[in-house]
Amino acid sequence: MNALLAGLTLLIIGDSHVTFKDSLLEILPDAFTRQGAKVITYGVCSSTAADWVVPNPNNGCGAAQRIGDEPIGAPDMKPASPPPMASLLEKWHPDVVMVVLGDTMAGYGQKTISENWVDEQVKTLTYTIGKTACIWIGPTWGQYSPRYGKTDQRTTEMATFMKEEVQPCAYVDGTQLMKPGSVSTIDGIHATPASYQVWGDAIVKTTLPMLEKIKAEEAPAGQ
């Protein structure tokens, strides 16, 4: 096994993009586990950044937990609050937190992004993550649908705004990983399994060197 990440504990959290089978819940843990990392993944549909700090009963469109590359069961469809980040840090002691959030805070269908609100959301989470290394995956492209109102223009605005917001987390701009118009979706936001695979593979390719660097920096002297 090519264990580039052996000894690294990676905690992944996110919204519906990491909550269901054939989504990033499948692709990212599988890939990083193959590289030797210990991966713990939590997804809560419709969650925003601050929901992972101050429990907020969600709308019940799904929540999932996955340890390593264990089989993915059906999501829990009851209204669920994301587990608080402070308790997750205490329980798993991750070397790195990977956050997959952006779409739920972009205000699709609204005239503007609520920048002050997004700032408060993001800072609440990054403050709680604290000194733990962090990589934030921003939203990628979708397709317009009346249900969500996601547009390329708003996606670009959100991706650009998030770049400054998520510091000290490293930022991966999802719009740079795939070409505009290349993402097929089932409802405007959620990708088809094939498009999730392309997005997930691009995330892995981009973040693997970042994770290797974090592992190297945290290795005890002499190793």
Side-chain angles (χ1 to χ4, degrees), residues 108-203:
Y108 300 129
Q110 300 173 9
K111 288 186 177 180
T112 59
I113 296 171
S114 180
E115 293 188 354
N116 290 339
W117 178 77
V118 174
D119 176 73
E120 183 180 349
Q121 289 279 324
V122 171
K123 295 293 192 290
T124 297
L125 181 54
T126 55
Y127 179 81
T128 305
I129 292 172
K131 294 182 179 179
T132 304
C134 172
I135 300 172
W136 196 302
I137 314 297
T140 193
W141 310 106
Q143 295 167 317
Y144 179 77
S145 74
R147 179 179 178 185
Y148 291 111
K150 182 169 181 170
T151 62
D152 286 357
Q153 179 182 353
R154 177 57 57 83
T155 303
T156 301
E157 288 175 21
M158 187 64 174
T160 303
F161 182 62
M162 293 278 285
K163 185 175 183 178
E164 304 300 324
E165 286 295 300
V166 304
Q167 297 174 5
C169 296
Y171 183 59
V172 175
D173 185 343
T175 65
Q176 299 300 308
L177 300 181
M178 302 172 79
K179 294 179 179 178
S182 69
V183 180
S184 297
T185 71
I186 58 174
D187 57 10
I189 285 186
H190 301 99
T192 60
S195 282
Y196 267 127
Q197 189 68 56
V198 175
W199 186 23
D201 289 346
I203 291 172

Side-chain angles (χ1 to χ4, degrees), residues 2 10 21 32 34-35 52 57 63 70 72 76 100 105 132-133 143 145 149 161 169 173 201 212 214 222:
N2 188 4
L10 171 62
K21 186 173 170 57
F32 294 130
R34 280 196 298 272
Q35 299 293 347
W52 292 86
E70 67 183 13
I72 300 173
D76 183 350
V100 184
M105 299 179 290
T132 304
Q143 295 167 317
S145 74
F161 182 62
C169 296
D173 185 343
D201 289 346
E212 286 184 78
I214 291 167

Side-chain angles (χ1 to χ4, degrees), residues 202-222:
I203 291 172
V204 172
K205 182 179 179 182
T206 302
T207 59
L208 198 54
M210 302 162 74
L211 293 169
E212 286 184 78
K213 183 179 178 184
I214 291 167
K215 179 195 168 187
E217 289 172 348
E218 295 196 353

